[in-house]
Amino acid sequence: MEETQRQKKIAGIIQQDLADILQRAATDGGLKGTLISVSKVSVTVDLSLAKVYVSIFPNKGAKKLLEGIKENQVAIRYELAQRTKHQLRRVPELNFYLDDSLEYIEGIEKSLKREENPIENRDLLDKRKKS
């Protein structure tokens, strides 16, 4: 089922504000060389839950940083509520996921540059996890 206009609008608002909140928290926390971006937000039909896909560069500490984001989920949701109080009545519950699409694309490019062809032999590429 396709997203409604309302879902898309709320997802866009959440995406913009969360990207700013997370990047500011990273720089204030001493992670100056780390880039955090929110690549996608999808909101459920009843607007009670939002899946937030976060892309972190460089990837070396991405899982640890994502755990820190999940631990501070309440504070992040409160900050988001303060920013969007004139636009949203209720802020949806946030579930954070790591967006691994850049790593996946990089793996495909590396495989294509080698002699083995991943198109003919699909076992060469890692299986992508669905979330």
Side-chain angles (χ1 to χ4, degrees), residues 25 27 36 55 57 61 70 73 78 84 95 107 131:
T27 53
I36 300 175
S55 180
F57 183 80
K70 287 180 180 179
Q73 187 171 347
Y78 177 76
T84 60
N95 287 337
S131 50

Side-chain angles (χ1 to χ4, degrees), residues 14-104:
I14 292 172
Q15 183 175 6
Q16 283 182 328
D17 287 334
L18 268 181
D20 189 42
I21 291 168
L22 293 175
Q23 188 60 49
R24 184 159 296 154
T27 53
D28 291 349
L31 299 171
K32 296 239 187 267
T34 304
L35 179 67
I36 300 175
S37 64
V38 178
S39 54
K40 184 179 180 189
V41 175
S42 60
V43 183
T44 57
V45 178
D46 63 352
L47 308 176
S48 65
L49 184 69
K51 284 186 176 181
V52 180
Y53 293 91
V54 180
S55 180
I56 301 169
F57 183 80
N59 294 332
K60 61 183 173 185
K63 291 193 191 276
K64 185 177 177 184
L65 195 56
L66 183 67
E67 289 302 316
I69 290 172
K70 287 180 180 179
E71 287 173 8
N72 294 314
Q73 187 171 347
V74 175
I76 293 169
R77 186 175 178 204
Y78 177 76
E79 176 72 25
L80 182 64
Q82 294 303 308
R83 288 177 178 230
T84 60
K85 63 184 170 188
H86 297 296
Q87 297 163 317
L88 299 177
R89 220 178 271 162
R90 281 187 56 229
V91 175
E93 187 176 322
L94 305 172
N95 287 337
F96 291 95
Y97 300 95
L98 191 61
D99 183 13
D100 63 345
S101 59
L102 293 176
E103 293 175 39
Y104 187 71

